[in-house]
């Protein structure tokens, strides 16, 4: 599955789309997303929901999570 490219969306839309995608995914599935910046508000929610995550900084300040 290709990453969700959310870099063109204003906050908080990237975070909401990631959360919506996670709710509809089967267990043990990987989600890749490209965000316009490091999604700091999303990270505690991912931990609270039991998801492991990694972030890679991309050119121009965007991130791959």
């Amino acid at each position: 599955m290709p990453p969700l490219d959310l870099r063109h969306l204003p906050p908080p839309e990237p975070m909401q789309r990631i959360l919506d995608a996670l709710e509809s995914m089967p267990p043990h599935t990987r989600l890749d997303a490209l965000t316009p910046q490091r999604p700091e508000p999303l990270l505690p929610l991912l931990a609270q929901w039991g998801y492991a995550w990694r972030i890679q900084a991309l050119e121009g300040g965007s991130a791959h999570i």
Side-chain angles (χ1 to χ4, degrees):
M1 175 176 183
L4 292 175
D5 190 350
L6 308 169
R7 293 175 289 184
H8 62 286
L9 299 174
E13 221 170 317
M15 182 171 99
Q16 188 58 52
R17 291 212 187 172
I18 290 170
L19 293 175
D20 290 345
L22 290 173
E23 286 181 328
S24 66
M25 289 174 42
H28 309 290
T29 303
R30 176 180 168 151
L31 173 68
D32 286 303
L34 302 170
T35 58
Q37 59 196 22
R38 186 177 168 94
E40 293 298 334
L42 175 65
L43 304 180
L45 287 173
L46 294 177
Q48 184 179 0
W49 287 13
Y51 288 101
W53 50 268
R54 281 189 308 229
I55 294 182
Q56 176 185 9
L58 301 175
E59 219 173 282
S62 60
H64 180 193
I65 183 166

Short mmCIF file of all heavy atoms in Angstrom, two decimals:
data_model
loop_
_atom_site.label_atom_id
_atom_site.label_comp_id
_atom_site.label_asym_id
_atom_site.label_seq_id
_atom_site.Cartn_x
_atom_site.Cartn_y
_atom_site.Cartn_z
N MET A 1 0.85 -1.18 0.00
CA MET A 1 0.00 0.00 0.00
C MET A 1 0.89 1.24 0.00
O MET A 1 1.77 1.36 0.84
CB MET A 1 -0.89 -0.05 1.25
CG MET A 1 -1.74 1.16 1.46
SD MET A 1 -2.79 0.86 2.90
CE MET A 1 -3.73 2.31 2.89
N PRO A 2 0.69 2.17 -0.92
CA PRO A 2 1.51 3.38 -0.95
C PRO A 2 1.20 4.27 0.26
O PRO A 2 0.10 4.20 0.82
CB PRO A 2 1.10 4.06 -2.25
CG PRO A 2 -0.22 3.51 -2.59
CD PRO A 2 -0.29 2.14 -1.98
N PRO A 3 2.15 5.10 0.66
CA PRO A 3 1.90 5.97 1.81
C PRO A 3 0.78 6.97 1.51
O PRO A 3 0.58 7.38 0.37
CB PRO A 3 3.22 6.69 2.04
CG PRO A 3 4.08 6.38 0.89
CD PRO A 3 3.48 5.27 0.11
N LEU A 4 0.07 7.35 2.58
CA LEU A 4 -0.90 8.44 2.45
C LEU A 4 -0.10 9.73 2.30
O LEU A 4 0.71 10.05 3.17
CB LEU A 4 -1.75 8.55 3.72
CG LEU A 4 -2.73 7.46 4.05
CD1 LEU A 4 -3.37 7.73 5.41
CD2 LEU A 4 -3.80 7.37 2.99
N ASP A 5 -0.29 10.45 1.23
CA ASP A 5 0.43 11.71 1.05
C ASP A 5 -0.47 12.84 1.51
O ASP A 5 -1.39 13.25 0.81
CB ASP A 5 0.84 11.89 -0.41
CG ASP A 5 1.79 13.07 -0.59
OD1 ASP A 5 1.99 13.85 0.38
OD2 ASP A 5 2.34 13.20 -1.69
N LEU A 6 -0.21 13.30 2.71
CA LEU A 6 -1.04 14.32 3.35
C LEU A 6 -0.32 15.66 3.43
O LEU A 6 -0.78 16.57 4.12
CB LEU A 6 -1.42 13.84 4.76
CG LEU A 6 -2.04 12.44 4.81
CD1 LEU A 6 -2.14 11.96 6.25
CD2 LEU A 6 -3.38 12.42 4.12
N ARG A 7 0.79 15.79 2.72
CA ARG A 7 1.62 16.99 2.83
C ARG A 7 0.92 18.25 2.35
O ARG A 7 1.29 19.35 2.75
CB ARG A 7 2.92 16.81 2.06
CG ARG A 7 3.82 15.74 2.69
CD ARG A 7 5.03 15.48 1.86
NE ARG A 7 4.62 14.77 0.65
CZ ARG A 7 5.47 14.32 -0.26
NH1 ARG A 7 6.77 14.53 -0.11
NH2 ARG A 7 5.03 13.68 -1.31
N HIS A 8 -0.08 18.13 1.53
CA HIS A 8 -0.77 19.30 0.98
C HIS A 8 -1.91 19.80 1.87
O HIS A 8 -2.53 20.81 1.57
CB HIS A 8 -1.33 18.97 -0.41
CG HIS A 8 -2.34 17.86 -0.39
ND1 HIS A 8 -1.98 16.54 -0.21
CD2 HIS A 8 -3.67 17.89 -0.49
CE1 HIS A 8 -3.08 15.80 -0.21
NE2 HIS A 8 -4.13 16.59 -0.38
N LEU A 9 -2.18 19.10 2.96
CA LEU A 9 -3.32 19.43 3.82
C LEU A 9 -2.90 20.31 5.01
O LEU A 9 -1.84 20.11 5.58
CB LEU A 9 -3.97 18.16 4.35
CG LEU A 9 -4.53 17.21 3.30
CD1 LEU A 9 -5.00 15.93 3.96
CD2 LEU A 9 -5.67 17.89 2.55
N PRO A 10 -3.76 21.25 5.41
CA PRO A 10 -3.46 22.08 6.58
C PRO A 10 -3.78 21.32 7.86
O PRO A 10 -4.65 20.43 7.86
CB PRO A 10 -4.39 23.27 6.40
CG PRO A 10 -5.57 22.72 5.68
CD PRO A 10 -5.01 21.65 4.76
N PRO A 11 -3.10 21.64 8.97
CA PRO A 11 -3.44 21.03 10.25
C PRO A 11 -4.88 21.39 10.64
O PRO A 11 -5.32 22.49 10.31
CB PRO A 11 -2.45 21.65 11.23
CG PRO A 11 -1.36 22.21 10.38
CD PRO A 11 -1.98 22.55 9.06
N PRO A 12 -5.57 20.55 11.31
CA PRO A 12 -5.22 19.23 11.84
C PRO A 12 -5.63 18.09 10.91
O PRO A 12 -5.71 16.94 11.33
CB PRO A 12 -6.01 19.17 13.13
CG PRO A 12 -7.29 19.88 12.80
CD PRO A 12 -6.87 21.00 11.85
N GLU A 13 -5.91 18.40 9.65
CA GLU A 13 -6.42 17.38 8.73
C GLU A 13 -5.51 16.16 8.57
O GLU A 13 -6.00 15.03 8.57
CB GLU A 13 -6.73 18.01 7.37
CG GLU A 13 -7.99 17.47 6.79
CD GLU A 13 -8.45 18.23 5.57
OE1 GLU A 13 -8.39 19.47 5.56
OE2 GLU A 13 -8.84 17.54 4.61
N PRO A 14 -4.17 16.32 8.43
CA PRO A 14 -3.33 15.12 8.32
C PRO A 14 -3.49 14.17 9.51
O PRO A 14 -3.62 12.96 9.34
CB PRO A 14 -1.91 15.67 8.23
CG PRO A 14 -2.09 17.03 7.63
CD PRO A 14 -3.38 17.53 8.23
N MET A 15 -3.52 14.75 10.72
CA MET A 15 -3.66 13.92 11.91
C MET A 15 -5.01 13.20 11.89
O MET A 15 -5.08 11.99 12.16
CB MET A 15 -3.53 14.77 13.17
CG MET A 15 -3.62 13.95 14.44
SD MET A 15 -3.23 14.91 15.89
CE MET A 15 -4.86 15.28 16.48
N GLN A 16 -6.07 13.90 11.55
CA GLN A 16 -7.39 13.28 11.54
C GLN A 16 -7.48 12.17 10.50
O GLN A 16 -8.05 11.12 10.76
CB GLN A 16 -8.47 14.34 11.28
CG GLN A 16 -9.87 13.80 11.45
CD GLN A 16 -10.10 13.23 12.85
OE1 GLN A 16 -9.85 13.90 13.84
NE2 GLN A 16 -10.54 12.00 12.93
N ARG A 17 -6.90 12.39 9.35
CA ARG A 17 -6.94 11.35 8.30
C ARG A 17 -6.15 10.11 8.72
O ARG A 17 -6.54 8.98 8.42
CB ARG A 17 -6.42 11.90 6.99
CG ARG A 17 -7.38 12.92 6.42
CD ARG A 17 -7.36 12.92 4.95
NE ARG A 17 -8.16 14.02 4.43
CZ ARG A 17 -8.20 14.36 3.18
NH1 ARG A 17 -7.47 13.71 2.29
NH2 ARG A 17 -8.95 15.36 2.78
N ILE A 18 -5.04 10.30 9.42
CA ILE A 18 -4.26 9.17 9.92
C ILE A 18 -5.08 8.40 10.94
O ILE A 18 -5.16 7.17 10.90
CB ILE A 18 -2.91 9.63 10.49
CG1 ILE A 18 -2.00 10.11 9.36
CG2 ILE A 18 -2.25 8.51 11.31
CD1 ILE A 18 -0.74 10.80 9.82
N LEU A 19 -5.70 9.11 11.89
CA LEU A 19 -6.52 8.44 12.91
C LEU A 19 -7.69 7.71 12.27
O LEU A 19 -8.01 6.58 12.66
CB LEU A 19 -7.00 9.46 13.94
CG LEU A 19 -5.91 10.08 14.80
CD1 LEU A 19 -6.49 11.17 15.70
CD2 LEU A 19 -5.18 9.04 15.62
N ASP A 20 -8.34 8.32 11.29
CA ASP A 20 -9.45 7.64 10.59
C ASP A 20 -8.97 6.38 9.89
O ASP A 20 -9.64 5.34 9.94
CB ASP A 20 -10.08 8.59 9.57
CG ASP A 20 -10.86 9.73 10.21
OD1 ASP A 20 -11.16 9.66 11.42
OD2 ASP A 20 -11.15 10.70 9.48
N ALA A 21 -7.81 6.45 9.25
CA ALA A 21 -7.26 5.28 8.55
C ALA A 21 -6.95 4.17 9.54
O ALA A 21 -7.24 2.99 9.28
CB ALA A 21 -6.02 5.67 7.77
N LEU A 22 -6.37 4.52 10.68
CA LEU A 22 -6.03 3.51 11.68
C LEU A 22 -7.28 2.81 12.21
O LEU A 22 -7.26 1.60 12.45
CB LEU A 22 -5.25 4.14 12.83
CG LEU A 22 -3.83 4.59 12.50
CD1 LEU A 22 -3.23 5.36 13.66
CD2 LEU A 22 -2.96 3.41 12.11
N GLU A 23 -8.35 3.55 12.39
CA GLU A 23 -9.58 2.95 12.92
C GLU A 23 -10.20 1.95 11.94
O GLU A 23 -10.88 1.02 12.37
CB GLU A 23 -10.60 4.05 13.23
CG GLU A 23 -10.27 4.81 14.49
CD GLU A 23 -11.31 5.88 14.82
OE1 GLU A 23 -11.92 6.44 13.88
OE2 GLU A 23 -11.50 6.13 16.00
N SER A 24 -9.95 2.13 10.66
CA SER A 24 -10.56 1.24 9.68
C SER A 24 -9.64 0.11 9.21
O SER A 24 -10.06 -0.73 8.42
CB SER A 24 -11.03 2.06 8.47
OG SER A 24 -9.92 2.61 7.80
N MET A 25 -8.41 0.09 9.70
CA MET A 25 -7.45 -0.93 9.27
C MET A 25 -7.55 -2.20 10.12
O MET A 25 -7.83 -2.12 11.31
CB MET A 25 -6.02 -0.38 9.39
CG MET A 25 -5.71 0.68 8.37
SD MET A 25 -4.09 1.47 8.60
CE MET A 25 -3.02 0.12 8.98
N PRO A 26 -7.28 -3.35 9.52
CA PRO A 26 -7.22 -4.57 10.32
C PRO A 26 -6.00 -4.56 11.25
O PRO A 26 -5.03 -3.84 10.99
CB PRO A 26 -7.11 -5.69 9.28
CG PRO A 26 -6.83 -5.05 7.98
CD PRO A 26 -7.07 -3.59 8.11
N PRO A 27 -6.05 -5.34 12.32
CA PRO A 27 -4.91 -5.42 13.24
C PRO A 27 -3.63 -5.86 12.52
O PRO A 27 -3.69 -6.57 11.52
CB PRO A 27 -5.32 -6.47 14.27
CG PRO A 27 -6.81 -6.57 14.15
CD PRO A 27 -7.14 -6.19 12.74
N HIS A 28 -2.51 -5.44 13.06
CA HIS A 28 -1.18 -5.81 12.57
C HIS A 28 -0.91 -5.34 11.15
O HIS A 28 -0.17 -5.99 10.41
CB HIS A 28 -0.95 -7.32 12.70
CG HIS A 28 -1.26 -7.84 14.06
ND1 HIS A 28 -0.49 -7.55 15.16
CD2 HIS A 28 -2.27 -8.61 14.51
CE1 HIS A 28 -1.01 -8.13 16.22
NE2 HIS A 28 -2.09 -8.78 15.85
N THR A 29 -1.53 -4.25 10.77
CA THR A 29 -1.32 -3.67 9.45
C THR A 29 -0.47 -2.42 9.60
O THR A 29 -0.61 -1.68 10.57
CB THR A 29 -2.68 -3.30 8.80
OG1 THR A 29 -3.49 -4.45 8.75
CG2 THR A 29 -2.49 -2.75 7.41
N ARG A 30 0.38 -2.19 8.64
CA ARG A 30 1.28 -1.03 8.68
C ARG A 30 0.66 0.12 7.89
O ARG A 30 0.11 -0.08 6.80
CB ARG A 30 2.62 -1.42 8.06
CG ARG A 30 3.58 -0.29 7.96
CD ARG A 30 4.87 -0.78 7.34
NE ARG A 30 5.70 0.35 6.99
CZ ARG A 30 7.00 0.30 6.97
NH1 ARG A 30 7.62 -0.83 7.24
NH2 ARG A 30 7.71 1.35 6.64
N LEU A 31 0.78 1.31 8.44
CA LEU A 31 0.32 2.52 7.76
C LEU A 31 1.51 3.44 7.60
O LEU A 31 2.21 3.73 8.57
CB LEU A 31 -0.77 3.22 8.58
CG LEU A 31 -1.21 4.58 8.06
CD1 LEU A 31 -1.95 4.42 6.74
CD2 LEU A 31 -2.08 5.29 9.07
N ASP A 32 1.77 3.87 6.38
CA ASP A 32 2.80 4.87 6.10
C ASP A 32 2.10 6.16 5.70
O ASP A 32 1.14 6.12 4.92
CB ASP A 32 3.70 4.42 4.94
CG ASP A 32 4.65 3.31 5.35
OD1 ASP A 32 5.41 3.52 6.30
OD2 ASP A 32 4.62 2.25 4.71
N ALA A 33 2.59 7.27 6.23
CA ALA A 33 1.98 8.56 5.89
C ALA A 33 3.06 9.61 5.73
O ALA A 33 4.06 9.61 6.45
CB ALA A 33 0.99 8.98 6.96
N LEU A 34 2.84 10.51 4.79
CA LEU A 34 3.70 11.67 4.59
C LEU A 34 2.93 12.88 5.10
O LEU A 34 1.80 13.13 4.68
CB LEU A 34 4.03 11.83 3.11
CG LEU A 34 4.72 10.64 2.46
CD1 LEU A 34 4.78 10.81 0.95
CD2 LEU A 34 6.10 10.44 3.03
N THR A 35 3.53 13.61 6.03
CA THR A 35 2.86 14.76 6.65
C THR A 35 3.64 16.04 6.36
O THR A 35 4.85 15.98 6.11
CB THR A 35 2.73 14.55 8.17
OG1 THR A 35 4.02 14.36 8.74
CG2 THR A 35 1.85 13.35 8.49
N PRO A 36 2.97 17.19 6.41
CA PRO A 36 3.65 18.44 6.08
C PRO A 36 4.72 18.84 7.09
O PRO A 36 5.60 19.64 6.78
CB PRO A 36 2.52 19.47 6.03
CG PRO A 36 1.36 18.86 6.73
CD PRO A 36 1.56 17.38 6.67
N GLN A 37 4.63 18.30 8.29
CA GLN A 37 5.61 18.57 9.34
C GLN A 37 5.59 17.41 10.32
O GLN A 37 4.77 16.51 10.20
CB GLN A 37 5.29 19.88 10.06
CG GLN A 37 3.92 19.87 10.70
CD GLN A 37 3.45 21.27 11.06
OE1 GLN A 37 3.91 22.25 10.52
NE2 GLN A 37 2.50 21.35 11.97
N ARG A 38 6.49 17.43 11.28
CA ARG A 38 6.51 16.37 12.30
C ARG A 38 5.20 16.45 13.08
O ARG A 38 4.88 17.49 13.64
CB ARG A 38 7.72 16.58 13.21
CG ARG A 38 7.92 15.48 14.20
CD ARG A 38 9.18 15.73 15.03
NE ARG A 38 9.23 14.84 16.15
CZ ARG A 38 9.86 13.68 16.15
NH1 ARG A 38 10.53 13.30 15.08
NH2 ARG A 38 9.86 12.92 17.22
N PRO A 39 4.44 15.37 13.14
CA PRO A 39 3.10 15.39 13.75
C PRO A 39 3.13 15.22 15.27
O PRO A 39 2.64 14.22 15.80
CB PRO A 39 2.39 14.23 13.05
CG PRO A 39 3.49 13.25 12.80
CD PRO A 39 4.71 14.09 12.49
N GLU A 40 3.67 16.19 15.97
CA GLU A 40 3.84 16.08 17.43
C GLU A 40 2.54 15.75 18.17
O GLU A 40 2.55 14.89 19.06
CB GLU A 40 4.47 17.35 18.00
CG GLU A 40 5.90 17.58 17.58
CD GLU A 40 6.87 16.50 18.03
OE1 GLU A 40 6.62 15.82 19.05
OE2 GLU A 40 7.89 16.31 17.36
N PRO A 41 1.41 16.40 17.88
CA PRO A 41 0.18 16.07 18.62
C PRO A 41 -0.31 14.64 18.39
O PRO A 41 -1.02 14.08 19.23
CB PRO A 41 -0.85 17.07 18.10
CG PRO A 41 -0.06 18.17 17.48
CD PRO A 41 1.21 17.54 16.99
N LEU A 42 0.08 14.04 17.28
CA LEU A 42 -0.36 12.68 16.96
C LEU A 42 0.39 11.63 17.77
O LEU A 42 -0.18 10.58 18.11
CB LEU A 42 -0.15 12.43 15.46
CG LEU A 42 -0.43 11.03 14.93
CD1 LEU A 42 -1.91 10.70 15.08
CD2 LEU A 42 0.00 10.93 13.49
N LEU A 43 1.63 11.87 18.09
CA LEU A 43 2.48 10.85 18.70
C LEU A 43 1.95 10.31 20.03
O LEU A 43 1.91 9.10 20.23
CB LEU A 43 3.90 11.37 18.82
CG LEU A 43 4.51 11.84 17.49
CD1 LEU A 43 5.93 12.35 17.71
CD2 LEU A 43 4.45 10.78 16.43
N PRO A 44 1.50 11.18 20.97
CA PRO A 44 0.95 10.62 22.22
C PRO A 44 -0.31 9.78 21.99
O PRO A 44 -0.54 8.79 22.68
CB PRO A 44 0.64 11.84 23.08
CG PRO A 44 1.32 12.99 22.44
CD PRO A 44 1.60 12.62 21.02
N LEU A 45 -1.12 10.17 21.01
CA LEU A 45 -2.32 9.39 20.70
C LEU A 45 -1.95 8.01 20.17
O LEU A 45 -2.57 7.01 20.53
CB LEU A 45 -3.18 10.12 19.66
CG LEU A 45 -3.94 11.33 20.16
CD1 LEU A 45 -4.61 12.05 19.00
CD2 LEU A 45 -4.96 10.94 21.20
N LEU A 46 -0.94 7.96 19.30
CA LEU A 46 -0.50 6.66 18.78
C LEU A 46 -0.03 5.76 19.92
O LEU A 46 -0.36 4.57 19.96
CB LEU A 46 0.61 6.84 17.75
CG LEU A 46 0.21 7.53 16.44
CD1 LEU A 46 1.44 7.71 15.55
CD2 LEU A 46 -0.88 6.78 15.72
N ALA A 47 0.74 6.32 20.83
CA ALA A 47 1.22 5.54 21.97
C ALA A 47 0.05 5.09 22.84
O ALA A 47 -0.01 3.93 23.28
CB ALA A 47 2.21 6.36 22.79
N GLN A 48 -0.90 5.97 23.06
CA GLN A 48 -2.07 5.65 23.88
C GLN A 48 -2.90 4.54 23.24
O GLN A 48 -3.44 3.68 23.94
CB GLN A 48 -2.92 6.91 24.06
CG GLN A 48 -4.11 6.74 24.95
CD GLN A 48 -4.90 8.04 25.10
OE1 GLN A 48 -4.54 9.07 24.54
NE2 GLN A 48 -5.97 7.99 25.84
N TRP A 49 -2.99 4.53 21.93
CA TRP A 49 -3.75 3.51 21.21
C TRP A 49 -2.95 2.22 21.03
O TRP A 49 -3.44 1.26 20.46
CB TRP A 49 -4.17 4.02 19.85
CG TRP A 49 -5.26 5.05 19.88
CD1 TRP A 49 -5.74 5.73 20.96
CD2 TRP A 49 -6.02 5.50 18.76
NE1 TRP A 49 -6.73 6.59 20.58
CE2 TRP A 49 -6.93 6.48 19.23
CE3 TRP A 49 -6.02 5.21 17.41
CZ2 TRP A 49 -7.83 7.12 18.41
CZ3 TRP A 49 -6.91 5.86 16.59
CH2 TRP A 49 -7.81 6.80 17.08
N GLY A 50 -1.68 2.21 21.46
CA GLY A 50 -0.86 1.00 21.40
C GLY A 50 -0.10 0.80 20.10
O GLY A 50 0.35 -0.30 19.82
N TYR A 51 0.06 1.86 19.31
CA TYR A 51 0.79 1.76 18.04
C TYR A 51 2.26 2.09 18.24
O TYR A 51 2.60 3.02 18.99
CB TYR A 51 0.21 2.71 16.99
CG TYR A 51 -1.12 2.28 16.46
CD1 TYR A 51 -2.29 2.87 16.91
CD2 TYR A 51 -1.21 1.28 15.50
CE1 TYR A 51 -3.52 2.47 16.42
CE2 TYR A 51 -2.43 0.87 15.00
CZ TYR A 51 -3.58 1.47 15.47
OH TYR A 51 -4.80 1.08 14.99
N ALA A 52 3.10 1.36 17.57
CA ALA A 52 4.53 1.69 17.49
C ALA A 52 4.69 2.59 16.27
O ALA A 52 3.96 2.45 15.29
CB ALA A 52 5.36 0.42 17.33
N TRP A 53 5.63 3.52 16.32
CA TRP A 53 5.82 4.43 15.21
C TRP A 53 7.29 4.83 15.09
O TRP A 53 8.06 4.73 16.03
CB TRP A 53 4.94 5.68 15.37
CG TRP A 53 5.06 6.33 16.72
CD1 TRP A 53 4.27 6.09 17.80
CD2 TRP A 53 6.03 7.28 17.14
NE1 TRP A 53 4.69 6.84 18.87
CE2 TRP A 53 5.78 7.59 18.49
CE3 TRP A 53 7.10 7.91 16.51
CZ2 TRP A 53 6.54 8.49 19.21
CZ3 TRP A 53 7.86 8.81 17.24
CH2 TRP A 53 7.58 9.09 18.57
N ARG A 54 7.62 5.26 13.89
CA ARG A 54 8.94 5.82 13.58
C ARG A 54 8.71 7.02 12.69
O ARG A 54 7.79 7.03 11.86
CB ARG A 54 9.80 4.83 12.82
CG ARG A 54 10.43 3.77 13.65
CD ARG A 54 11.43 3.00 12.83
NE ARG A 54 10.79 2.54 11.58
CZ ARG A 54 10.84 1.32 11.13
NH1 ARG A 54 11.52 0.42 11.77
NH2 ARG A 54 10.25 0.99 10.00
N ILE A 55 9.57 8.00 12.83
CA ILE A 55 9.48 9.20 11.99
C ILE A 55 10.80 9.44 11.31
O ILE A 55 11.87 9.32 11.92
CB ILE A 55 9.12 10.44 12.83
CG1 ILE A 55 7.71 10.29 13.41
CG2 ILE A 55 9.20 11.70 12.00
CD1 ILE A 55 7.26 11.46 14.21
N GLN A 56 10.71 9.78 10.04
CA GLN A 56 11.89 10.16 9.26
C GLN A 56 11.64 11.59 8.76
O GLN A 56 10.62 11.87 8.14
CB GLN A 56 12.06 9.23 8.07
CG GLN A 56 13.19 9.61 7.17
CD GLN A 56 13.24 8.74 5.93
OE1 GLN A 56 12.34 7.95 5.65
NE2 GLN A 56 14.31 8.88 5.17
N ALA A 57 12.56 12.48 9.09
CA ALA A 57 12.47 13.86 8.60
C ALA A 57 12.77 13.87 7.10
O ALA A 57 13.67 13.19 6.64
CB ALA A 57 13.45 14.75 9.34
N LEU A 58 11.97 14.61 6.37
CA LEU A 58 12.14 14.73 4.93
C LEU A 58 12.52 16.16 4.57
O LEU A 58 12.36 17.08 5.37
CB LEU A 58 10.86 14.33 4.20
CG LEU A 58 10.35 12.92 4.45
CD1 LEU A 58 9.01 12.71 3.75
CD2 LEU A 58 11.37 11.89 3.96
N GLU A 59 12.99 16.33 3.36
CA GLU A 59 13.37 17.63 2.86
C GLU A 59 12.19 18.60 2.95
O GLU A 59 11.04 18.23 2.71
CB GLU A 59 13.78 17.49 1.39
CG GLU A 59 14.97 18.33 1.01
CD GLU A 59 15.40 18.01 -0.40
OE1 GLU A 59 16.05 16.97 -0.59
OE2 GLU A 59 15.08 18.82 -1.29
N GLY A 60 12.48 19.83 3.29
CA GLY A 60 11.44 20.85 3.35
C GLY A 60 10.63 20.85 4.63
O GLY A 60 9.63 21.54 4.71
N GLY A 61 11.00 20.05 5.63
CA GLY A 61 10.31 20.03 6.90
C GLY A 61 9.19 19.01 7.02
O GLY A 61 8.59 18.87 8.07
N SER A 62 8.89 18.30 5.94
CA SER A 62 7.84 17.28 6.02
C SER A 62 8.39 16.02 6.71
O SER A 62 9.57 15.93 7.02
CB SER A 62 7.27 16.96 4.63
OG SER A 62 8.28 16.48 3.78
N ALA A 63 7.50 15.06 6.95
CA ALA A 63 7.90 13.86 7.68
C ALA A 63 7.23 12.63 7.10
O ALA A 63 6.15 12.70 6.53
CB ALA A 63 7.54 14.00 9.15
N HIS A 64 7.91 11.49 7.25
CA HIS A 64 7.37 10.18 6.89
C HIS A 64 7.18 9.44 8.19
O HIS A 64 8.14 9.20 8.92
CB HIS A 64 8.34 9.46 5.97
CG HIS A 64 7.86 8.11 5.54
ND1 HIS A 64 8.70 7.22 4.94
CD2 HIS A 64 6.65 7.50 5.60
CE1 HIS A 64 8.03 6.12 4.66
NE2 HIS A 64 6.79 6.28 5.05
N ILE A 65 5.96 9.10 8.50
CA ILE A 65 5.68 8.38 9.74
C ILE A 65 5.12 7.01 9.41
O ILE A 65 4.43 6.84 8.42
CB ILE A 65 4.71 9.17 10.65
CG1 ILE A 65 4.48 8.45 11.96
CG2 ILE A 65 3.40 9.47 9.97
CD1 ILE A 65 3.82 9.26 13.04
#
